Amino acid sequence: MAINKKEFADRMAENGGITKKAAFQAVGLFIDTLMDYLGENEKVMFTGFGRFEMRSMKERNGRNMSTGERLVVPEHRYVGFHASDVLVGKIDEREKQNRDK
């Protein structure tokens, strides 16, 4: 199941003891600011969390999965995220705790 922005903000409000409205605004501000920096080709790094950056994918041959038709996928840019080792370790720890319950 995917979590949407409202659900994320609701959990953030609950965890942070702030209003849902303030949390929703904070999430929106975070996303807008992240897009500003990525639009300027800046890497955005959060120690203990990870790094966001714009990456390029070269042109390549592909296939339309519905029709099987061969096509060329043009060069394009995308947002990449690299999780820090600290984040991965904390997630692994939480998953282990949830399995042990």
Side-chain angles (χ1 to χ4, degrees):
M1 177 178 151
I3 302 302
N4 66 29
K5 184 173 155 181
K6 181 187 179 308
E7 292 166 332
F8 187 89
D10 288 349
R11 172 83 59 97
M12 197 168 104
E14 183 181 311
N15 290 344
I18 60 176
T19 66
K20 289 181 179 184
K21 181 178 180 181
F24 192 79
Q25 289 172 336
V27 171
L29 183 58
F30 172 81
I31 292 168
D32 289 344
T33 305
L34 181 63
M35 287 191 307
D36 285 346
Y37 277 114
L38 293 174
E40 296 167 3
N41 286 320
E42 296 285 344
K43 291 180 184 176
V44 179
M45 295 184 283
F46 297 104
T47 303
F49 185 74
R51 177 184 73 237
F52 295 90
E53 64 185 319
M54 292 303 298
R55 297 180 182 165
S56 294
M57 184 170 287
K58 294 180 182 177
E59 181 179 286
R60 63 184 173 81
N61 293 322
R63 184 184 303 260
N64 181 327
M65 298 304 286
S66 298
T67 64
E69 174 188 5
R70 292 184 182 273
L71 49 88
V72 175
V73 179
E75 181 176 332
H76 61 278
R77 292 168 29 104
Y78 65 98
V79 176
F81 175 74
H82 183 268
S84 75
D85 292 340
V86 173
L87 176 63
V88 172
K90 286 182 179 181
I91 291 170
D92 287 345
E93 187 177 302
R94 285 189 181 189
E95 286 179 339
K96 185 178 183 292
Q97 287 173 355
N98 288 336
R99 281 193 306 265
D100 293 344
K101 285 184 180 179

